[in-house]
Amino acid sequence: MSEAKLRERVAAFGRSIFARGLTFGATGNISVRLDDGWLMTPTGSSLGELDPARLSRLDAQGRHLSGDKPTKEFFLHLAVYEARAKAGAIVHLHSTHSVAVSCLAEVDPQDVLPPITAYYVMRVGTLPLVPYYPPGDLDLAKAVREMASSHHAVLLANHGPVVAGASLEDAVYATEELEETAKLFLLLRGAPIRPLTAEQVATLRQRYPVRT
Ligand SMILES: [Zn+2]
């Protein structure tokens, strides 16, 4: 896909994500890998009003080349790309239900959400919790890089999800699946849950390996 087309797709997905209340204010950011660098949503920008021509353009070393200044969370994106050579795009949101789950005290930090639906297993799989660090802390990038080498989706404690995909569509759809599953998980809190069995999960993983 050409860079011009990718710029339009980032803006279109941003509008759609914002319109559905999956992020708010100037939170949330999207990036896409190019042959020689990255496109990223700019700092202080609303995903609902992205101008394709003003997206931040970074070179292969992560230096800002053109467009508006990149999101202050650009280092999170670069940390995941460093760990995942095949990742084509990354979405990071402060989506309400995922953030709520990221604040729960009693979750398994190795895998925060149970496999309650097949699509969650197929699009997200396992979801480790990255310990809390203040925004901008370089230790956060280090922790994310370490976990991202074996997981395309991670949940930052008291903050939100960071999800990589082979394409922009894959990253957006996986982020949406994660948010919907977090919502279901919260709806089901207190009720006895019948998650998929280990065998059912294994069958799905074999038939539908996650594309990342
Ligand atoms: Zn954030």
Side-chain angles (χ1 to χ4, degrees), residues 27-29 71 73 76 92-94 135 156 159-162:
T27 67
N29 28 78
T71 165
E73 293 180 307
L76 281 180
H92 165 58
L93 300 180
H94 296 177
L156 312 182
H159 185 165
V162 181

Side-chain angles (χ1 to χ4, degrees), residues 2-22:
S2 70
E3 183 178 327
K5 184 74 192 153
L6 278 170
R7 285 173 178 269
E8 278 173 28
R9 299 288 289 156
V10 168
F13 272 120
R15 269 196 304 280
S16 162
I17 286 168
F18 189 87
R20 287 176 291 147
L22 293 171

Side-chain angles (χ1 to χ4, degrees), residues 101 104 106-107 112-118 120 180-197 200:
V101 167
L104 289 176
E106 289 175 9
V107 291
V112 179
L113 289 168
I116 50 179
T117 69
Y120 177 74
E180 291 305 311
T181 305
K183 191 175 179 179
L184 289 172
F185 176 69
L186 295 170
L187 279 172
L188 291 165
R189 291 262 289 170
I193 299 182
R194 191 189 60 252
L196 303 191
T197 64
Q200 287 166 334

